[in-house]
Amino acid sequence: MAAKSLNILRRPRRLRRTDALRRLVRETHLSVNDLIWPLFVYAGSDSEEVASMPGVMRHSLDSLLKACGEASRLGIPAVAIFPSIAPALKDPIGTHGLAPDNLLFQAVRSVKKEFPDLLVITDVALDPYTSHGHDGLLSHDGKSVDNDATVEVLSRLAVLEAQAGADIVAPSDMMDGRIRSIRESLDAAGHKDTAILSYAAKYASALYGPFRDAVGSKIGKDSISKSTYQMDPANRREATIEVNIDIFESADIVMIKPASYYLDIIREVSDFSKIPVAAYQVSGEYAQIHAAARLGWLDYERTRNESLVAIKRAGANMILTYFAKEVAEEISHGRGCL
Ligand code: PBG
């Protein structure tokens, strides 16, 4: 016996009936144009997998070029290159960061030479090069990270990155006043077209652990906390201040980081920002999805795709994600977008 129909005027399920209907009314599409692929490079001759990031490699220079070739073939617009520096080359002031022929500059030069159209993004921060793992220089008493002294070194680092060929420099240090100083230094050195992607609201997150494994920048237990410069995860309004300062100081793109736990921040910033907004789906977000999938507790592809669509839906114009290549592949075999 057929149940009596309810007298319902609006039946939202009508538009969910078939895949074609769902595609027709879909509000958010993730395309390959939205993706930035972070890549790690080290001085070894064979790439090695990062233990806490399945499928993510610490690339040799050769294999970095191969990865960039794949990015290019898949139409991924940009890669972000992070160096993993040998401990012997690190010191408290990150001297190696400014060495003219260091691993990062070599990597950027070879990638730009081989793939001139692929955008290269470089981090502006000292953590890959400092023995203590902080993003900047310590004060004389060693009790804090010295803001102004750090900004000066970072400005020099940004110029060297631009000289090596970086299209976009991305200060990830969270020092105050660095965007303006970096812009002025880039301009003075003739790099007017080098863009600044500012890690504007970067939170002191537990989710960077696997990244610190990847680049070897673990902070000692008794060391200063990164909470003295990265943002408190409990704060929302403060993120709008950070973003506004960086826009005012001439950032070309502002970034929120991490992404999935901070969708409210991405939404809020994208509602008011007149410049593009990026989000960084960080190493710990990637690791969580892999770990749960390995245990058989979550469906890997669905969770991965949902996480990315959610970040886009929250308002991000572009997403740094370790999933970039595999998602680009899925998109290219499918209908052009997720
Ligand atoms: C360093 C930097 C970090 C990340 C990007 N740049 C780590 C940190 O601040 O300690 C994290 C990225 C990730 O976890 O994927 N300046």
Side-chain angles (χ1 to χ4, degrees):
M1 190 181 67
K4 190 168 162 280
S5 288
L6 295 175
N7 184 15
I8 299 172
L9 283 177
R10 298 221 55 101
R11 289 185 183 270
R13 286 185 56 185
R14 261 179 220 128
L15 300 181
R16 298 179 198 143
R17 197 169 46 84
T18 69
D19 181 59
L21 272 165
R22 290 191 293 272
R23 283 193 287 121
L24 194 66
V25 301
R26 188 156 294 147
E27 300 176 38
T28 306
H29 301 275
L30 186 89
S31 90
V32 69
N33 300 328
D34 303 320
L35 301 172
I36 298 172
W37 193 20
L39 294 168
F40 299 109
V41 62
Y42 85 124
S45 49
D46 296 309
S47 323
E48 44 188 40
E49 192 172 29
V50 179
S52 48
M53 301 178 75
V56 171
M57 308 306 287
R58 229 178 261 114
H59 290 283
S60 65
L61 266 176
D62 277 355
S63 116
L64 177 77
L65 287 172
K66 282 203 191 96
C68 290
E70 288 165 27
S72 209
R73 169 181 63 81
L74 287 162
I76 296 174
V79 295
I81 302 177
F82 296 94
S84 169
I85 302 294
L89 294 173
K90 300 187 185 189
D91 64 24
I93 58 169
T95 309
H96 190 64
L98 302 179
D101 210 26
N102 76 23
L103 177 67
L104 176 69
F105 303 146
Q106 280 180 43
V108 172
R109 277 195 292 266
S110 8
V111 171
K112 284 310 291 186
K113 186 160 169 234
E114 200 134 339
F115 306 103
D117 296 333
L118 180 67
L119 297 171
V120 169
I121 303 174
T122 51
D123 241 38
V124 187
L126 291 182
D127 56 305
Y129 314 104
T130 52
S131 38
H132 42 71
H134 281 290
D135 294 41
L137 306 176
L138 304 190
S139 59
H140 290 302
D141 63 8
K143 290 196 175 128
S144 64
V145 172
D146 184 332
N147 190 87
D148 299 13
T150 299
V151 168
E152 211 212 294
V153 184
L154 294 183
S155 303
R156 281 158 51 204
L157 174 58
V159 169
L160 293 172
E161 291 176 349
Q163 244 160 41
D167 299 281
I168 301 176
V169 294
S172 65
D173 55 295
M174 287 300 277
M175 298 300 120
D176 296 330
R178 84 263 210 236
I179 302 301
R180 176 177 182 167
S181 170
I182 289 171
R183 182 73 271 154
E184 287 174 353
S185 304
L186 288 171
D187 289 356
H191 298 290
K192 294 197 165 42
D193 287 330
T194 306
I196 299 179
L197 161 58
S198 154
Y199 286 67
K202 173 173 178 179
Y203 286 87
S205 175
L207 297 170
Y208 308 149
F211 175 97
R212 292 179 195 163
D213 288 343
V215 303
S217 62
K218 275 235 155 24
I219 306 263
K221 262 206 164 39
D222 307 321
S223 181
I224 307 157
S225 160
K226 284 206 176 191
S227 301
T228 60
Y229 46 102
Q230 299 175 350
M231 279 185 57
D232 184 337
N235 292 358
R236 179 176 61 85
R237 284 184 312 219
E238 190 187 353
T240 65
I241 298 178
E242 280 287 5
V243 166
N244 276 324
I245 291 173
D246 287 2
I247 293 175
F248 179 73
E249 286 189 20
S250 81
D252 298 284
I253 304 170
V254 282
M255 180 148 75
I256 314 299
K257 175 185 175 194
S260 296
Y261 287 5
Y262 297 86
L263 296 180
D264 57 330
I265 312 296
I266 297 173
R267 164 51 52 207
E268 180 146 357
V269 168
S270 78
D271 277 349
F272 76 77
S273 173
K274 303 288 186 258
I275 68 171
V277 177
Y280 198 144
Q281 183 182 51
V282 301
S283 55
E285 297 174 69
Y286 178 87
Q288 286 178 330
I289 293 174
H290 269 279
R294 276 198 175 179
L295 287 164
W297 291 353
L298 288 175
D299 179 274
Y300 176 72
E301 272 94 13
R302 288 190 58 203
T303 310
R304 176 195 70 194
N305 293 357
E306 185 176 332
S307 73
L308 290 167
V309 167
I311 295 166
K312 179 89 193 279
R313 191 200 62 232
N317 302 113
M318 60 195 86
I319 306 172
L320 283 93
T321 173
Y322 301 97
F323 294 123
K325 183 193 147 199
E326 58 187 77
V327 165
E329 235 143 34
E330 179 173 327
I331 290 173
S332 75
H333 295 137
R335 297 187 187 271
C337 62
L338 281 193

